[in-house]
C-alpha cells in the first residue's frame, strides 16, 4: 500500500464525520440566516407557495448532485475532477441546508406535496409539464444510471460523472430561474438567482472538461 493510499484511507472516516457536523451546522445556519434576513416576520410562505415548493424540490434535487459529487470525490483519480466534485458538494450542501432551514422556520414539512406543482403557470400544469416519464425531476439520474456510474472506473467514470452532472445542472436551471422570478421572499429569489448563475458557469466548465475526455453531453432534459 502506498503512502498516498494509506493517507487517503486514514482520513476518510474523519472527513465523513466532519461532513456530518458541517451539514448539521449548515442546516442550523439556514434557519438562523433566515431569521436574520427577516423571513417569517409577517405571514410565512405556505406549503403551496413558490418559496416553499422551490425550497423543498431544489433541496431534494441538490442532494442527488451531492451524492454523485461525493462519489466522484472518492473514486476519481483526476485532481481536476476531484476539485469540481468537492466544489459542487460543498456549495450544494450549503444551499440545501439553507433551504431546509427556511422550511423548518416556516413550519412547512421538508417532504410531501406535489413535486414541482409550484412551477404551474396559466399555460402549463407544473407537475405534468416538468416531471419526466420516470417520475424524476428534470435532470435527475435514474437508479440504473447511478449504478452504472458506481460500476465504472478511470476515464469512463470521469466522463459519466460529467455527463450526469451537466444534465443535472441543466435540469435544475429552469426551476432556479422560475423561483428567482416568482418567489415572494427576497432571500429565496437571491439564492435561486445564485444557483442559476453558478450552475450555468459550472455547466460550461464541465462541458469543456467532458470534451477534453472525448465525451459528449447527454440530451438536455
Amino acid at each position: 500500500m502506498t503512502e498516498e493510499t494509506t493517507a487517503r484511507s486514514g482520513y476518510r472516516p474523519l472527513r465523513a464525520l466532519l461532513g456530518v457536523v458541517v451539514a448539521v451546522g449548515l442546516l442550523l445556519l439556514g434557519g438562523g440566516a433566515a431569521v436574520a434576513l427577516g423571513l417569517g416576520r409577517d405571514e410565512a410562505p405556505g406549503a403551496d407557495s413558490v418559496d416553499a415548493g422551490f425550497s423543498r424540490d431544489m433541496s431534494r434535487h441538490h442532494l442527488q448532485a451531492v451524492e454523485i459529487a461525493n462519489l466522484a470525490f472518492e473514486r476519481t483519480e483526476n485532481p481536476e475532477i476531484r476539485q469540481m466534485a468537492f466544489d459542487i458538494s460543498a456549495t450544494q450542501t450549503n444551499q440545501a441546508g439553507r433551504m431546509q432551514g427556511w422550511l423548518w422556520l416556516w413550519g412547512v414539512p421538508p417532504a410531501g406535496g406535489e413535486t414541482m406543482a409550484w412551477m404551474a403557470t396559466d399555460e402549463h400544469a407544473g407537475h405534468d409539464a416538468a416531471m419526466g416519464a420516470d417520475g424524476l425531476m428534470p435532470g435527475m439520474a435514474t437508479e440504473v444510471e447511478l449504478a452504472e456510474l458506481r460500476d465504472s472506473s478511470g476515464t469512463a467514470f470521469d466522463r459519466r460523472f460529467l455527463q450526469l452532472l451537466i444534465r443535472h445542472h441543466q435540469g435544475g436551471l429552469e426551476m432556479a430561474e422560475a423561483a428567482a422570478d416568482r418567489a415572494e421572499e427576497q432571500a429565496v429569489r437571491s439564492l435561486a438567482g445564485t444557483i442559476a448563475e453558478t450552475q450555468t458557469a459550472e455547466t460550461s466548465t464541465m462541458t469543456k472538461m467532458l470534451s477534453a475526455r472525448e465525451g459528449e453531453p447527454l440530451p438536455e432534459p
Side-chain angles (χ1 to χ4, degrees):
M1 180 178 292
T2 66
E3 181 177 349
E4 179 182 359
T5 301
T6 302
R8 290 189 63 189
S9 62
Y11 70 63
R12 282 179 185 172
L14 176 58
R15 183 160 49 75
L17 176 59
L18 290 175
V20 173
V21 173
V22 169
V24 172
L26 289 171
L27 178 58
L28 295 175
L29 176 61
V35 174
L37 289 167
L39 293 176
R41 287 181 180 172
D42 298 314
E43 184 178 353
D48 296 330
S49 67
V50 170
D51 301 75
F54 168 74
S55 297
R56 183 173 53 238
D57 290 347
M58 184 57 84
S59 60
R60 176 184 162 200
H61 201 272
H62 269 19
L63 289 177
Q64 189 188 71
V66 171
E67 176 186 358
I68 294 171
N70 286 346
L71 179 63
F73 187 85
E74 293 287 350
R75 294 277 300 278
T76 186
E77 299 176 359
N78 185 276
E80 184 181 33
I81 296 291
R82 185 176 294 115
Q83 184 62 55
M84 176 60 70
F86 176 82
D87 290 345
I88 290 173
S89 178
T91 298
Q92 296 206 13
T93 296
N94 179 302
Q95 293 170 345
R98 293 172 64 186
M99 290 183 281
Q100 290 288 311
W102 291 338
L103 291 170
W104 173 83
L105 183 70
W106 299 331
V108 175
E114 187 178 9
T115 304
M116 298 190 72
W118 61 276
M119 290 281 288
T121 67
D122 292 339
E123 293 81 23
H124 301 92
H127 178 275
D128 293 339
M131 297 293 283
D134 49 17
L136 296 172
M137 284 183 282
M140 291 185 70
T142 66
E143 287 300 322
V144 171
E145 289 172 330
L146 292 174
E148 290 173 348
L149 178 65
R150 296 186 190 100
D151 289 341
S152 59
S153 61
T155 301
F157 175 91
D158 293 343
R159 279 197 296 262
R160 196 58 173 165
F161 161 74
L162 291 168
Q163 288 175 329
L164 292 179
L165 259 296
I166 288 170
R167 189 185 64 188
H168 202 278
H169 275 21
Q170 292 170 336
L173 181 60
E174 185 176 358
M175 295 168 60
E177 290 176 337
D181 182 58
R182 297 174 50 219
E184 296 181 3
E185 299 286 356
Q186 177 57 44
V188 178
R189 292 197 301 271
S190 178
L191 178 60
T194 297
I195 290 172
E197 293 175 4
T198 300
Q199 295 195 178
T200 296
E202 288 177 343
T203 296
S204 177
T205 299
M206 289 191 292
T207 299
K208 294 175 183 177
M209 293 168 67
L210 179 60
S211 178
R213 291 162 176 78
E214 300 182 348
E216 293 291 335
L218 299 172
E220 291 192 25

